[in-house]
Amino acid sequence: MHRSSGRKKMRDHAHPYLAGNFAPIHRTQPLVPCSHSGAIPKELAGGQYVRNGGNPVSNENLGRDAHWFDGDGMLSGVSFRPPGEKGQDIQPEFVNQYILTDLYIATRKSPSLVTPILPSIATLVNPMSSLLTIVLRIVRTILLVVLSHLPGSHQAIKKISVANTSILYHDGRALATCESGPPMRVSLPSLDTVGWFNGSMVEGEVFKEVEPGFGAGGLLNFMREWTTAHVRYSSSVESSTDLEQPRVDPKTGELILFHSTFVPPYINYSIVPATRRPTPDSTSRSRLLGASVAGVTSAKMMHDFGVSGAHTVILDLPLSLDPLNLAKNRPVVAYDPTSRSRFGVFPRYEPDSVRWFETRSCCIFHTANTWDSLVVNPITGLEETAAINMLACRLTSASLVYSAGDLAAPVPLHKVPADQQEEEQCRLYYYQFSLSPPSASTTSTALKYENVITHQWALSAVPFEFPSLRDSASMSAAKYIYGCSVSDSSFGAALGRAVKIDSLVKVDVETLIDRGKRSPPTQISGCVDTRTVSEVLASNDPTDPIKIFKMPAGWYAQEPRFVPRARGVSEDDGWLLSYVFDESQLGPDGECKPCATSELWIIDAKTMCEVVAKVHLPQRVPYGLHGNWFSEEDVINQRPIESVRELPSTKGLSEDTTPAWKMWIGARGVMEKYLA
């Protein structure tokens, strides 16, 4: 804790994730018409593309610890107003809004704060952070939270989520997510903040269901409100234009998520059924909230998981997020490359029936798709699940966690065996977990399962992250996966440099998986297609299983989202939407000029060659995290709301003029400045 003296001394170099187009932007706009070039596909009419990302509102202290995953959530969207009766073209409109979390409102109403309320992830992962430093940062946060509940506060901090990671649609609600709290509902297309979603109801909605929510009572149960930033969801209905839902599932319309906490059992698991438009089967399934998943023995940094039509896969990797690490003289966030990676597979509704599969250490922040392999039992004649398949972006180290905080990755405490050492990489990997029936043990009459990972290898040597796919193909054997790549580095960028996406990639995973099974690569370290980005770009083969859209020199993209063509004839018949930025708009100091702007590009996903339309935005969109596409039907069928969150007025706080009140406000101001 320190007394602020305005702008703190700068670093010896600009923080790569606070500079250029990573720098936050504080201008927000309501829906503003945008110009565009090219022909906007009619399938986009009435829909909206929205992307989430961290945008720290208190950013004066540029010498502070900072991390790409920090920052208050800001949504940036482009809505496509349908043509009018007079035959006008589709009109794109840009909007961006901060998500009005408790932390955001408290920060905005505390002008003395120059450093975010929460400790930076960079502080928690930095091996050079002393125990005293981390404890003081945590104590500062606790004091600011307590202070927010005392008289003179504009906003009590009840949830510590910044809601800055992703956004999804479920059961009539658009929900912004982050690991440190429950989802926050926002309204489309205005992106106004409605309120926290507890798994049953949202503050600010007209009709509130009287059902238990995440967390419940108890001193530590609030942590069970913490949800994964990546939530898997499925629905039984697909719109006529094939835009609405992530996949067709005639039996469920459920939201599936897990809660990672610091106390045993460390992982809890929830399923929220659809109640607005229930399917025939969903009414027979009650909501499952906070069920424990056995087998996880310590707190971990879990960012994603896998969900198939009938199974769930939990990722227990050797990347800890544990305050108890401080007692071991280790950072709160620590990676152990000598430990094992574990995958817990269980039937969707039976988290107590988990089976654990072990393999070499790795980091996985994003899974791309998960699906079941079914076989017919020759005795019963019924379909059974023989294996679970999962595609994931596998990193061979945790270097990205450190470089995103402008930190050097620490040297491992223990040497990694020579036969397990791998080059720095992030590739699209295929895993197959065998669910073979139990066999009689050779040493006893007991039955035991052989938990074997049948296949585990990379599909391509092209660096690959931020995966996505056609929503209607998720949780099934999709043919295509889309993602991002970097042509001159890896996603574990070197110290002092930020990861910038200069290539969008489309992978025919069906073809490469089949090729890998027919001629298996070396388990774990092997790769089906060993070509580099430049070698793939040089290919003229129209049937090439890997296609890359290379950005023009100096232009960089963000995570793409797929929108299908109406009545398309193939899975890839549609478009990719991505925000892009031309870095020729940077000044000599590497910072964005005040007039810098971004564009939304609409790219033909079938050919991966043509930009069919460009929407010219009125301002730039900082490089961020995850986005989503919301169809016209999604927007129309939102649940009704009666109120939205707003920044509270200062009126009323200063009306008390008694000496005692003035003394308290003065003391409070001193405390806020000290904690700034």
Side-chain angles (χ1 to χ4, degrees):
M1 295 176 285
H2 64 277
R3 183 184 300 275
S4 172
S5 58
R7 213 173 160 88
K8 188 177 176 181
K9 182 179 178 182
M10 296 286 290
R11 297 163 168 258
D12 57 0
H13 67 277
H15 193 298
Y17 287 92
L18 290 177
N21 195 42
F22 283 98
I25 188 166
H26 299 305
R27 180 189 181 192
T28 60
Q29 300 196 65
L31 288 162
V32 177
C34 304
S35 63
H36 71 278
S37 56
I40 295 177
K42 63 179 176 26
E43 285 83 353
L44 273 58
Q48 185 174 23
Y49 171 72
V50 183
R51 202 233 56 216
N52 202 348
N55 198 86
V57 66
S58 55
N59 195 49
E60 289 79 7
N61 181 3
L62 295 181
R64 72 182 191 275
D65 286 349
H67 197 280
W68 191 26
F69 304 161
D70 295 338
D72 302 276
M74 175 179 275
L75 299 174
S76 301
V78 174
S79 179
F80 295 88
R81 195 171 67 212
E85 294 180 359
K86 297 181 179 180
Q88 304 101 319
D89 292 337
I90 296 172
Q91 175 61 62
E93 297 177 320
F94 175 77
V95 57
N96 72 313
Q97 299 286 352
Y98 274 106
I99 301 172
L100 302 190
T101 62
D102 300 356
L103 288 167
Y104 172 79
I105 295 173
T107 301
R108 279 289 305 272
K109 290 301 178 178
S110 302
S112 59
L113 288 179
V114 295
T115 300
I117 293 173
L118 295 181
S120 172
I121 294 175
T123 302
L124 302 181
V125 304
N126 190 351
M128 303 304 293
S129 292
S130 67
L131 174 60
L132 178 62
T133 296
I134 295 176
V135 169
L136 287 177
R137 295 292 190 275
I138 294 173
V139 169
R140 172 184 179 268
T141 297
I142 293 172
L143 291 176
L144 286 170
V145 170
V146 171
L147 192 61
S148 76
H149 288 262
L150 299 180
S153 298
H154 295 270
Q155 173 67 49
I157 301 173
K158 299 178 181 179
K159 318 287 185 187
I160 60 170
S161 170
V162 288
N164 69 356
T165 308
S166 189
I167 185 167
L168 59 97
Y169 188 88
H170 174 256
D171 202 27
R173 300 180 177 107
L175 302 171
T177 62
C178 179
E179 280 94 340
S180 57
M184 175 72 89
R185 183 183 169 186
V186 298
S187 177
L188 305 173
S190 66
L191 303 185
D192 290 327
T193 304
V194 181
W196 299 109
F197 174 57
N198 73 349
S200 172
M201 57 176 281
V202 172
E203 56 190 53
E205 287 186 351
V206 174
F207 306 108
K208 298 181 174 66
E209 299 172 40
V210 183
E211 292 278 356
F214 305 135
L219 180 62
L220 297 176
N221 277 346
F222 76 96
M223 285 190 288
R224 293 185 181 181
E225 293 182 325
W226 299 356
T227 60
T228 174
H230 293 277
V231 184
R232 303 301 172 185
Y233 54 112
S234 59
S235 175
S236 62
V237 181
E238 186 169 39
S239 66
S240 59
T241 59
D242 202 21
L243 294 175
E244 182 193 4
Q245 306 295 350
R247 79 178 298 268
V248 178
D249 186 335
K251 296 182 178 180
T252 176
E254 298 155 325
L255 182 72
I256 302 142
L257 59 158
F258 70 85
H259 319 264
S260 182
T261 70
F262 300 142
V263 295
Y266 301 110
I267 297 297
N268 297 94
Y269 173 77
S270 295
I271 301 176
V272 180
T275 58
R276 184 168 173 79
R277 297 169 65 188
T279 64
D281 185 72
S282 64
T283 56
S284 65
R285 296 281 188 181
S286 60
R287 73 182 65 225
L288 178 68
L289 296 179
S292 61
V293 178
V296 181
T297 58
S298 62
K300 296 294 178 68
M301 178 183 275
M302 293 189 187
H303 186 67
D304 203 355
F305 67 137
V307 178
S308 68
H311 290 78
T312 299
V313 183
I314 294 292
L315 282 56
D316 181 14
L317 310 177
L319 181 62
S320 64
L321 174 58
D322 191 351
L324 293 180
N325 283 353
L326 296 176
K328 307 170 188 175
N329 198 29
R330 298 174 61 196
V332 174
V333 179
Y335 178 68
D336 181 5
T338 63
S339 188
R340 303 284 286 172
S341 292
R342 303 168 69 237
F343 300 90
V345 179
F346 57 87
R348 178 180 295 185
Y349 307 99
E350 302 173 29
D352 55 343
S353 300
V354 62
R355 294 173 57 177
W356 290 100
F357 298 75
E358 290 194 9
T359 185
R360 187 182 300 174
S361 64
C362 67
C363 277
I364 295 174
F365 290 109
H366 301 116
T367 64
N369 193 28
T370 307
W371 67 99
D372 304 308
S373 289
L374 302 177
V375 296
V376 176
N377 186 311
I379 299 176
T380 65
L382 301 176
E383 277 192 339
E384 297 178 352
T385 304
I388 305 300
N389 308 274
M390 187 174 76
L391 294 169
C393 300
R394 178 183 183 270
L395 293 106
T396 52
S397 78
S399 59
L400 178 61
V401 176
Y402 300 96
S403 62
D406 196 26
L407 301 168
V411 177
L413 295 176
H414 306 286
K415 187 175 181 180
V416 179
D419 63 341
Q420 296 184 21
Q421 294 179 8
E422 299 179 69
E423 62 178 308
E424 182 71 36
Q425 63 187 25
C426 180
R427 294 173 175 175
L428 183 62
Y429 258 67
Y430 172 63
Y431 293 91
Q432 186 178 76
F433 308 103
S434 173
L435 296 186
S436 57
S439 57
S441 171
T442 56
T443 59
S444 70
T445 57
L447 297 179
K448 69 174 184 178
Y449 286 94
E450 297 291 342
N451 293 348
V452 176
I453 304 179
T454 313
H455 301 290
Q456 48 180 327
W457 22 257
L459 296 184
S460 166
V462 170
F464 195 93
E465 250 294 0
F466 295 103
S468 62
L469 75 165
R470 181 181 179 133
D471 284 341
S472 61
S474 67
M475 303 185 194
S476 62
K479 183 174 179 62
Y480 298 105
I481 299 292
Y482 306 92
C484 303
S485 190
V486 288
S487 59
D488 59 351
S489 63
S490 70
F491 279 93
L495 181 63
R497 292 195 300 114
V499 174
K500 296 178 184 177
I501 296 162
D502 65 4
S503 304
L504 300 180
V505 184
K506 168 186 168 184
V507 181
D508 180 348
V509 295
E510 180 183 68
T511 295
L512 292 180
I513 290 172
D514 180 66
R515 186 181 298 175
K517 288 182 176 180
R518 285 188 285 106
S519 181
T522 303
Q523 288 282 67
I524 304 177
S525 61
C527 183
V528 177
D529 190 315
T530 60
R531 292 176 298 165
T532 63
V533 171
S534 58
E535 289 172 331
V536 173
L537 288 170
S539 171
N540 294 317
D541 182 1
T543 64
D544 198 317
I546 304 174
K547 295 185 183 298
I548 297 178
F549 177 87
K550 184 72 164 60
M551 296 296 296
W555 287 76
Y556 295 93
Q558 302 192 38
E559 176 194 72
R561 297 300 300 185
F562 181 86
V563 180
R565 185 190 303 274
R567 294 174 293 281
V569 296
S570 61
E571 185 186 305
D572 61 344
D573 202 350
W575 302 271
L576 294 180
L577 274 59
S578 176
Y579 286 128
V580 301
F581 183 75
D582 179 6
E583 293 207 343
S584 68
Q585 300 175 94
L586 301 182
D589 59 355
E591 300 298 339
C592 291
K593 299 174 183 177
C595 59
T597 61
S598 296
E599 297 179 356
L600 177 69
W601 284 10
I602 303 169
I603 301 164
D604 188 328
K606 197 173 183 68
T607 65
M608 294 295 288
C609 294
E610 181 187 3
V611 181
V612 301
K614 299 179 181 180
V615 179
H616 310 290
L617 308 182
Q619 63 187 47
R620 66 184 180 89
V621 177
Y623 301 133
L625 297 174
H626 305 292
N628 220 321
W629 167 253
F630 302 95
S631 71
E632 181 178 31
E633 187 172 351
D634 291 335
V635 176
I636 292 172
N637 288 322
Q638 294 177 95
R639 291 172 180 253
I641 58 176
E642 61 182 5
S643 64
V644 296
R645 282 194 161 199
E646 297 178 339
L647 285 173
S649 169
T650 57
K651 185 178 180 181
L653 288 180
S654 58
E655 292 179 355
D656 192 335
T657 58
T658 62
W661 178 258
K662 290 182 178 179
M663 185 178 298
W664 162 247
I665 292 299
R668 180 190 176 93
V670 171
M671 286 187 285
E672 286 183 344
K673 289 181 180 179
Y674 181 69
L675 295 170

